[in-house]
Amino acid sequence: MPLISEEPQIPESAQGPRVTPATGRTAPTPRPVPGPRSAATPRPGGRPVPGPARPAPPAQRAQPAPAPAAPARPQPTENRSGPQVQVIPAPAAGALDAAEEAVDLLLESGRAPGDILVLTTGEQHPWAVHELSFGEAAYWAQQDAGDDVFFADASAVDRAKPRPVVVVAANGDAGDTVARALPVARDRAAALLIVCGDPQTINSALGAGV
C-alpha cells in the first residue's frame, strides 16, 4: 500500500492573527520625523520667520531735515552823509520868492506836497500868517495831517516835524537867526535841504560841508 506523504500542518493558532488588507487601500508609508528647523527655514504654509533687521545702507537712511535758515533781517539804512544840500543865491528881499519857485519845481518834478516843509528866517509866509489867525492848534494840526506843503517860522523849527525836503528862505537880515535855524533844518530834512539866501551866510552857518 503506497505511502502518501503528508505535509506537516501548522496550527493556525501558532501562525498568529492573519491580517487581510482592506480592499482598495494601500498600506500607509511611514513619514520621516522632522528635524529641528532653522530660523531661515520657512514654516509650512506660512511666511519666513523674520530675522534681526538689517541696517539700511547710508544712502537710504533717513537724514534729519536741515533746520530752516533764519530769514535775513533787513538792515536799517542810515543816511550817514546827511541830506543833499542845495544853495540858491538870493538877496534877503528875494529869498522867499526863490523858495516858492523851488517848491513849484519840486511839485512839478513829482514831489508830494506833504513831503515839503518851508521855513522862513524873517517875515513869515502869507499862508502861515493866514492859518495862524485861526489859532495855533488848528495851524499845527495841518502839519500833523501831512497832506500839504507846510510853512513855518524858523524860530519854531523845533516844533517842525521831519520831512523828505526842507526849504529855507533866509529872508531875514540877522545872521545869527540863520546860523541857529540851518543846522536844525538840516536835521529835519531826510533827503534834501534847499536854502535860498546869501551863500556866504549859508555856508558859514552850515560849515564847510556845504
Side-chain angles (χ1 to χ4, degrees):
M1 182 174 183
L3 296 176
I4 301 173
S5 61
E6 295 180 359
E7 295 180 0
Q9 300 293 324
I10 300 175
E12 292 182 1
S13 59
Q15 294 178 3
R18 182 177 295 177
V19 179
T20 304
T23 305
R25 295 178 61 182
T26 58
T29 303
R31 298 176 63 184
V33 178
R37 273 193 303 268
S38 65
T41 304
R43 293 180 179 178
R47 298 181 179 177
V49 178
R54 296 177 59 188
Q60 297 179 5
R61 294 179 186 173
Q63 300 293 333
R73 296 182 178 179
Q75 298 296 327
T77 57
E78 297 182 2
N79 189 5
R80 297 181 181 274
S81 60
Q84 180 183 357
V85 179
Q86 294 182 5
V87 178
I88 299 177
L96 187 55
D97 291 338
E100 288 182 336
E101 291 179 5
V103 170
D104 291 340
L105 291 175
L106 288 168
L107 296 176
E108 291 175 3
S109 66
R111 279 287 180 182
D115 288 349
I116 304 171
L117 168 67
V118 180
L119 300 174
T120 55
T121 62
E123 184 181 357
Q124 294 194 56
H125 192 275
W127 180 91
V129 175
H130 174 75
E131 296 299 326
L132 281 170
S133 65
F134 298 101
E136 287 198 6
Y139 167 73
W140 290 107
Q142 297 190 52
Q143 175 186 230
D144 297 335
D147 54 2
D148 203 353
V149 180
F150 189 75
F151 297 84
D153 189 273
S155 61
V157 67
D158 292 335
R159 296 187 61 178
K161 294 183 178 180
R163 290 197 175 188
V165 181
V166 175
V167 180
V168 179
N171 57 341
D173 294 332
D176 55 345
T177 303
V178 176
R180 289 193 304 267
L182 289 188
V184 182
R186 179 169 53 187
D187 292 339
R188 296 294 186 271
L192 177 63
L193 172 64
I194 300 176
V195 186
C196 306
D198 177 54
Q200 183 176 355
T201 304
I202 295 170
N203 293 338
S204 176
L206 291 178
V210 178

